[in-house]
Amino acid sequence: MKVKLARTAGFCMGVRRAMELVLTAANQKDDRPLYTYGPLIHNTQVLDLLKTKSVTVLKDLGGLSGGRIVIRAHGIPPAERAKLKETGMEILDATCPKVARVQSLIRLHTRKGHECIIVGDSDHAEVIGLMGYSVTPPWVIQEASQVAELPDLQKPFVVAQTTQNDAVFGDVVDALKAKFPNLLVFDTICNATHLRQKEVRSFKDQVDAMVVVGGYHSGNTQRLAEVARESGLKTFHVETEKDLDLKALEPMSCIGVTAGASTPNWMIQNVVRTIERVRGQGESSLLNGCRKVFESLVLASGLVAGGAFCFAYAAGFLAGPPLEIVFPFIAMLYLYAVHGLNRIVDKGAGVYNDPEGAEFLTTHRGVLLGGGIAAAAAALLLALTRGLPTFLALAAFIVVGLIYSLPIFPDRLRSRRTYFRIKDIPGSRSLADAFARVAVINVLPLFSTDPGPYSAVAVSMVFVLLLSYGRSGLFDLLHLQGDLIVGKETLPLTIGQKQATLLLRVDLGFLGVFLVVSGFAGWAGPFAFWMLIPVGGMILCLAAFEKRWIRSALIMEALVESNFFLAGIIAFCAYLFR
Ligand code: SF4
């Protein structure tokens, strides 16, 4: 089945910020209890997950005297904030800045003597919080028909709950203006909500039905489903993939998927994957078969291995003759083994980052483990054909590659050691991967072959290091949500997503400039210019991630790896036409 996933689906900025704050606090080595004041978001699965991380939901403050407490994105009334302070607990304020802006607006205007009207759900936590900021009692209404019940107001102003249906808000404002010509209007519906609803409406003529993913009690998800229905789309609101009515989807050929602001990415991916497996109307079995083969190739690290071969071939070509074809094969087998085995050891975050990959790993664990060991053995055998030093060097690289994910301190020391494994060191994953590639692609051949010009070898090393770093850094960004949940210390989580993205831009930009300079200076020959193409491809992948052009982890992985295939194909063409 064809699936069209909304670019705006999933966590909004405020929810992401709140989740990051809670998970960072939960991952800290701090013995004080951690509470959220009310459920952090309206999503049962996320709340269950937080429970496993010892985050307790508090409904009242009775009998509490210590610990840390998180104010959720909806915010709270000032009176409750004062009570929280009295408990002496450390307050972690995750009130969304956009909600805080509405709170300030209400306080400012009611202090000036204006009367406040809020369009929203009076039982919703955000609205309860907003009401607390009004110095005179506010009016809360949900629809235009309630305007008639309002008393005569002298200086009214209206605001909206940030996740309000914008069409409903428009109707209410029209009715209010008819009654109060001097009405002040503040459209405080969050832009994230506007865009989400607008995108759903734009799906009207593009899909046969709409699946809205999110908690059944989540107001913004309910409203999203309401918007989809109002647009005339057959709409299914589901919490998880288990709630999908697959029989009802079979007569269709394209399904739109969107999700509420409190729905995590892994839940969206699970729903998308389940729908994709349904054989849609008019879908050929050949196409379906090809897609399955492609998926299996990506999931079984086949693409990583193929990409490694092509990359090593291109890097060897860049380093200048002689290029021995055995080394790209060794690189392919080595990276397949290390990548596959590390995935098996380290599958915790995969459940959230790439549910499809995690499921594949669980089902085919034995085959993947056997394949990884066989690949490592084959790489060693090939290395042996190039002499003992090459064999020993590769054996050392394999050991280093494997201990990356393994504990370096015994279990009993775990609580005292922040860095339990090498990969726990902040930012180590991207660097380790980049250096592993330099080791096997650039350094290993030096043990048995006379290198080409040293300048070309150095250019090739820089090329491999920076492009590999770009690849791993991009995956770190892609895996942010799952890594945060399991408490991994990747670079984006240590220095922030914006800074990590900037770093990648600098990395790839510098590599581009470096290749141009190397080409003109004659350090590496004109082939250096051709390698700008895969570098440009990687920059495009980074843009695709930032702009949310592609949401599927599988497709993103395939696109990133395709740059290495591209490098290899260009090198092969250069070899043919040299
Ligand atoms: S929907 Fe908008 S206002 Fe509400 S939490 Fe998300 S970003 Fe903030």
Side-chain angles (χ1 to χ4, degrees), residues 274-294:
T274 309
I275 301 174
E276 275 177 346
R277 284 181 183 160
V278 176
R279 174 105 174 262
Q281 268 301 307
E283 191 173 81
S284 84
S285 49
L286 181 69
L287 193 74
N288 214 15
C290 287
R291 196 172 59 211
K292 279 187 183 146
V293 170
F294 168 74

mmCIF file of all heavy atoms in Angstrom, residues 274-294:
data_model
loop_
_atom_site.group_PDB
_atom_site.id
_atom_site.type_symbol
_atom_site.label_atom_id
_atom_site.label_comp_id
_atom_site.label_asym_id
_atom_site.label_seq_id
_atom_site.Cartn_x
_atom_site.Cartn_y
_atom_site.Cartn_z
ATOM 1 N N THR A 274 3.005 -0.926 9.065
ATOM 2 C CA THR A 274 1.901 -1.897 9.025
ATOM 3 C C THR A 274 1.002 -1.632 7.819
ATOM 4 O O THR A 274 0.577 -2.562 7.138
ATOM 5 C CB THR A 274 1.080 -1.821 10.335
ATOM 6 O OG1 THR A 274 1.988 -1.913 11.418
ATOM 7 C CG2 THR A 274 0.073 -2.938 10.434
ATOM 8 N N ILE A 275 0.747 -0.362 7.533
ATOM 9 C CA ILE A 275 -0.111 -0.056 6.374
ATOM 10 C C ILE A 275 0.607 -0.429 5.078
ATOM 11 O O ILE A 275 0.006 -0.972 4.152
ATOM 12 C CB ILE A 275 -0.499 1.443 6.352
ATOM 13 C CG1 ILE A 275 -1.246 1.818 7.625
ATOM 14 C CG2 ILE A 275 -1.370 1.754 5.137
ATOM 15 C CD1 ILE A 275 -1.539 3.296 7.760
ATOM 16 N N GLU A 276 1.903 -0.144 5.025
ATOM 17 C CA GLU A 276 2.658 -0.440 3.796
ATOM 18 C C GLU A 276 2.610 -1.924 3.446
ATOM 19 O O GLU A 276 2.712 -2.304 2.286
ATOM 20 C CB GLU A 276 4.114 0.008 3.959
ATOM 21 C CG GLU A 276 4.301 1.474 3.630
ATOM 22 C CD GLU A 276 5.721 1.971 3.852
ATOM 23 O OE1 GLU A 276 6.519 1.269 4.504
ATOM 24 O OE2 GLU A 276 6.023 3.069 3.386
ATOM 25 N N ARG A 277 2.442 -2.745 4.472
ATOM 26 C CA ARG A 277 2.426 -4.190 4.221
ATOM 27 C C ARG A 277 1.093 -4.678 3.656
ATOM 28 O O ARG A 277 0.993 -5.803 3.185
ATOM 29 C CB ARG A 277 2.716 -4.943 5.516
ATOM 30 C CG ARG A 277 4.180 -4.874 5.858
ATOM 31 C CD ARG A 277 4.466 -5.629 7.116
ATOM 32 N NE ARG A 277 5.863 -5.498 7.474
ATOM 33 C CZ ARG A 277 6.334 -5.716 8.678
ATOM 34 N NH1 ARG A 277 5.524 -6.068 9.643
ATOM 35 N NH2 ARG A 277 7.616 -5.585 8.923
ATOM 36 N N VAL A 278 0.067 -3.844 3.731
ATOM 37 C CA VAL A 278 -1.238 -4.231 3.171
ATOM 38 C C VAL A 278 -1.135 -4.152 1.653
ATOM 39 O O VAL A 278 -0.569 -3.192 1.118
ATOM 40 C CB VAL A 278 -2.345 -3.261 3.672
ATOM 41 C CG1 VAL A 278 -3.683 -3.591 3.030
ATOM 42 C CG2 VAL A 278 -2.444 -3.306 5.178
ATOM 43 N N ARG A 279 -1.635 -5.168 0.982
ATOM 44 C CA ARG A 279 -1.610 -5.146 -0.491
ATOM 45 C C ARG A 279 -2.752 -4.257 -0.968
ATOM 46 O O ARG A 279 -3.923 -4.611 -0.853
ATOM 47 C CB ARG A 279 -1.767 -6.586 -0.989
ATOM 48 C CG ARG A 279 -1.904 -6.703 -2.464
ATOM 49 C CD ARG A 279 -0.597 -7.234 -3.083
ATOM 50 N NE ARG A 279 -0.815 -7.455 -4.486
ATOM 51 C CZ ARG A 279 -1.098 -8.629 -4.989
ATOM 52 N NH1 ARG A 279 -1.172 -9.686 -4.203
ATOM 53 N NH2 ARG A 279 -1.295 -8.749 -6.276
ATOM 54 N N GLY A 280 -2.420 -3.070 -1.468
ATOM 55 C CA GLY A 280 -3.444 -2.106 -1.868
ATOM 56 C C GLY A 280 -4.052 -2.438 -3.218
ATOM 57 O O GLY A 280 -3.549 -3.300 -3.946
ATOM 58 N N GLN A 281 -5.139 -1.736 -3.544
ATOM 59 C CA GLN A 281 -5.814 -1.920 -4.836
ATOM 60 C C GLN A 281 -4.869 -1.589 -5.978
ATOM 61 O O GLN A 281 -4.195 -0.559 -5.956
ATOM 62 C CB GLN A 281 -7.017 -0.969 -4.919
ATOM 63 C CG GLN A 281 -8.318 -1.553 -4.445
ATOM 64 C CD GLN A 281 -8.725 -2.793 -5.215
ATOM 65 O OE1 GLN A 281 -8.776 -2.780 -6.428
ATOM 66 N NE2 GLN A 281 -9.005 -3.867 -4.491
ATOM 67 N N GLY A 282 -4.811 -2.460 -6.969
ATOM 68 C CA GLY A 282 -4.042 -2.174 -8.182
ATOM 69 C C GLY A 282 -2.541 -2.262 -7.989
ATOM 70 O O GLY A 282 -1.783 -1.908 -8.888
ATOM 71 N N GLU A 283 -2.095 -2.727 -6.831
ATOM 72 C CA GLU A 283 -0.648 -2.799 -6.612
ATOM 73 C C GLU A 283 -0.123 -4.119 -7.163
ATOM 74 O O GLU A 283 -0.641 -5.184 -6.817
ATOM 75 C CB GLU A 283 -0.362 -2.704 -5.115
ATOM 76 C CG GLU A 283 1.101 -2.500 -4.820
ATOM 77 C CD GLU A 283 1.340 -2.234 -3.337
ATOM 78 O OE1 GLU A 283 1.377 -3.196 -2.566
ATOM 79 O OE2 GLU A 283 1.469 -1.073 -2.975
ATOM 80 N N SER A 284 0.884 -4.057 -8.029
ATOM 81 C CA SER A 284 1.368 -5.296 -8.640
ATOM 82 C C SER A 284 2.220 -6.070 -7.643
ATOM 83 O O SER A 284 2.917 -5.496 -6.810
ATOM 84 C CB SER A 284 2.176 -4.982 -9.898
ATOM 85 O OG SER A 284 3.492 -4.689 -9.550
ATOM 86 N N SER A 285 2.146 -7.401 -7.760
ATOM 87 C CA SER A 285 2.906 -8.224 -6.822
ATOM 88 C C SER A 285 4.404 -8.071 -7.087
ATOM 89 O O SER A 285 5.226 -8.223 -6.194
ATOM 90 C CB SER A 285 2.475 -9.685 -6.912
ATOM 91 O OG SER A 285 2.459 -10.076 -8.249
ATOM 92 N N LEU A 286 4.765 -7.726 -8.352
ATOM 93 C CA LEU A 286 6.186 -7.547 -8.682
ATOM 94 C C LEU A 286 6.753 -6.358 -7.902
ATOM 95 O O LEU A 286 7.810 -6.436 -7.275
ATOM 96 C CB LEU A 286 6.333 -7.319 -10.193
ATOM 97 C CG LEU A 286 7.772 -7.132 -10.673
ATOM 98 C CD1 LEU A 286 8.550 -8.436 -10.540
ATOM 99 C CD2 LEU A 286 7.818 -6.631 -12.113
ATOM 100 N N LEU A 287 5.969 -5.260 -7.918
ATOM 101 C CA LEU A 287 6.403 -4.043 -7.217
ATOM 102 C C LEU A 287 6.531 -4.319 -5.719
ATOM 103 O O LEU A 287 7.500 -3.927 -5.065
ATOM 104 C CB LEU A 287 5.375 -2.932 -7.472
ATOM 105 C CG LEU A 287 5.826 -1.536 -7.076
ATOM 106 C CD1 LEU A 287 6.836 -1.026 -8.091
ATOM 107 C CD2 LEU A 287 4.632 -0.591 -7.014
ATOM 108 N N ASN A 288 5.521 -5.043 -5.219
ATOM 109 C CA ASN A 288 5.517 -5.393 -3.802
ATOM 110 C C ASN A 288 6.745 -6.232 -3.450
ATOM 111 O O ASN A 288 7.415 -6.013 -2.442
ATOM 112 C CB ASN A 288 4.235 -6.184 -3.499
ATOM 113 C CG ASN A 288 3.733 -5.892 -2.116
ATOM 114 O OD1 ASN A 288 4.158 -4.927 -1.497
ATOM 115 N ND2 ASN A 288 2.838 -6.734 -1.629
ATOM 116 N N GLY A 289 7.053 -7.198 -4.354
ATOM 117 C CA GLY A 289 8.201 -8.084 -4.149
ATOM 118 C C GLY A 289 9.499 -7.295 -4.164
ATOM 119 O O GLY A 289 10.371 -7.493 -3.319
ATOM 120 N N CYS A 290 9.621 -6.376 -5.147
ATOM 121 C CA CYS A 290 10.848 -5.564 -5.254
ATOM 122 C C CYS A 290 11.040 -4.749 -3.979
ATOM 123 O O CYS A 290 12.155 -4.625 -3.469
ATOM 124 C CB CYS A 290 10.758 -4.606 -6.437
ATOM 125 S SG CYS A 290 10.910 -5.434 -8.004
ATOM 126 N N ARG A 291 9.944 -4.204 -3.483
ATOM 127 C CA ARG A 291 10.052 -3.385 -2.275
ATOM 128 C C ARG A 291 10.533 -4.225 -1.095
ATOM 129 O O ARG A 291 11.381 -3.798 -0.313
ATOM 130 C CB ARG A 291 8.706 -2.730 -1.963
ATOM 131 C CG ARG A 291 8.872 -1.597 -0.973
ATOM 132 C CD ARG A 291 7.651 -0.783 -0.756
ATOM 133 N NE ARG A 291 6.555 -1.596 -0.283
ATOM 134 C CZ ARG A 291 5.284 -1.349 -0.551
ATOM 135 N NH1 ARG A 291 4.972 -0.342 -1.316
ATOM 136 N NH2 ARG A 291 4.333 -2.109 -0.082
ATOM 137 N N LYS A 292 10.011 -5.451 -1.014
ATOM 138 C CA LYS A 292 10.416 -6.313 0.105
ATOM 139 C C LYS A 292 11.901 -6.666 0.013
ATOM 140 O O LYS A 292 12.610 -6.688 1.015
ATOM 141 C CB LYS A 292 9.563 -7.584 0.111
ATOM 142 C CG LYS A 292 8.210 -7.333 0.750
ATOM 143 C CD LYS A 292 7.409 -8.588 0.917
ATOM 144 C CE LYS A 292 6.046 -8.236 1.489
ATOM 145 N NZ LYS A 292 4.986 -9.095 1.007
ATOM 146 N N VAL A 293 12.370 -6.941 -1.225
ATOM 147 C CA VAL A 293 13.793 -7.277 -1.408
ATOM 148 C C VAL A 293 14.650 -6.083 -0.991
ATOM 149 O O VAL A 293 15.645 -6.215 -0.265
ATOM 150 C CB VAL A 293 14.078 -7.663 -2.880
ATOM 151 C CG1 VAL A 293 15.573 -7.777 -3.132
ATOM 152 C CG2 VAL A 293 13.374 -8.965 -3.225
ATOM 153 N N PHE A 294 14.233 -4.898 -1.443
ATOM 154 C CA PHE A 294 14.985 -3.686 -1.115
ATOM 155 C C PHE A 294 15.031 -3.482 0.405
ATOM 156 O O PHE A 294 16.085 -3.207 0.982
ATOM 157 C CB PHE A 294 14.329 -2.485 -1.810
ATOM 158 C CG PHE A 294 14.839 -1.159 -1.335
ATOM 159 C CD1 PHE A 294 16.101 -0.715 -1.707
ATOM 160 C CD2 PHE A 294 14.075 -0.350 -0.493
ATOM 161 C CE1 PHE A 294 16.581 0.508 -1.257
ATOM 162 C CE2 PHE A 294 14.547 0.867 -0.040
ATOM 163 C CZ PHE A 294 15.800 1.298 -0.424
#
